[in-house]
Amino acid sequence: MPLRLLLLLIGVAGLTAACAQTAVRDCQRADWFYVGQRDGIVGAPIEIFANYDAVCRKADIKADRVAYENGHQAGIQIYCTDANGFRVGRNNMTYHRVCPPDLEKAFLTGRARGLQLSGCPAQIYVFEEHLASTEQRLKRREQRLTSPSVPKAEMDRLQQEIDALEALYQQTAAELDDVENHCLEDL
């Protein structure tokens, strides 16, 4: 057997053993409520628990289904809202029919509005990125303004910049609303 192939096989065996050890550690340390909540918040179907359970069983560790289900239910309460439905629709993400009947109507209503906007993601992206950038600049100036070593003249300049950035942020947010409304009207 060529040396190169032997080294490759040794490397693969080592990686497989490392992955197995990681899975064992993950199963031992898992906060199953948190894992379920995290999956619920992103709208993952509860059936995904079977994957976790299978991995943990291979390591002779029992995954806590009750804690996972309780966490998943808590996460679903966050996921199944009108606002999140809008985000899911706007980003053209898959809905796995995880919302309970009492929450599904609001989620689907938001998702329908978001799906109408899915043709406008580039325009919306530009405004959202501009908002995020403006917000970062605002935070940096606000942090500098609260520093005890800032001279008075710089404090005045920083406050003027903060005021200007806040106005820019408000204007950009209003323009984003206009773009979203325009996109809805075009459909």
Side-chain angles (χ1 to χ4, degrees), residues 7 20 26 30 39 48 54-55 66 83 87 89 94 106-107 114-115 128-129 133 138 142 144 168 172:
L7 291 174
D26 289 346
D39 287 351
I48 200 168
V55 169
V66 172
R87 183 187 65 78
T94 302
F107 175 84
L115 283 170
E128 287 178 339
E129 287 299 306
S133 173
L138 260 169
E142 288 170 346
R144 178 71 179 134
L168 177 62
T172 304

Side-chain angles (χ1 to χ4, degrees), residues 49-97:
F49 177 80
N51 297 338
Y52 299 132
D53 192 43
V55 169
C56 291
R57 281 185 188 197
K58 288 179 183 175
D60 289 328
I61 298 170
K62 185 175 181 345
D64 188 344
R65 183 175 187 86
V66 172
Y68 179 86
E69 287 176 354
N70 290 336
H72 192 269
Q73 182 61 32
I76 287 296
Q77 300 296 313
I78 296 167
Y79 177 79
C80 296
T81 62
D82 177 85
N84 192 55
F86 179 81
R87 183 187 65 78
V88 168
R90 188 182 75 198
N91 293 323
N92 208 17
M93 297 164 67
T94 302
Y95 170 51
H96 296 284
R97 305 195 187 294

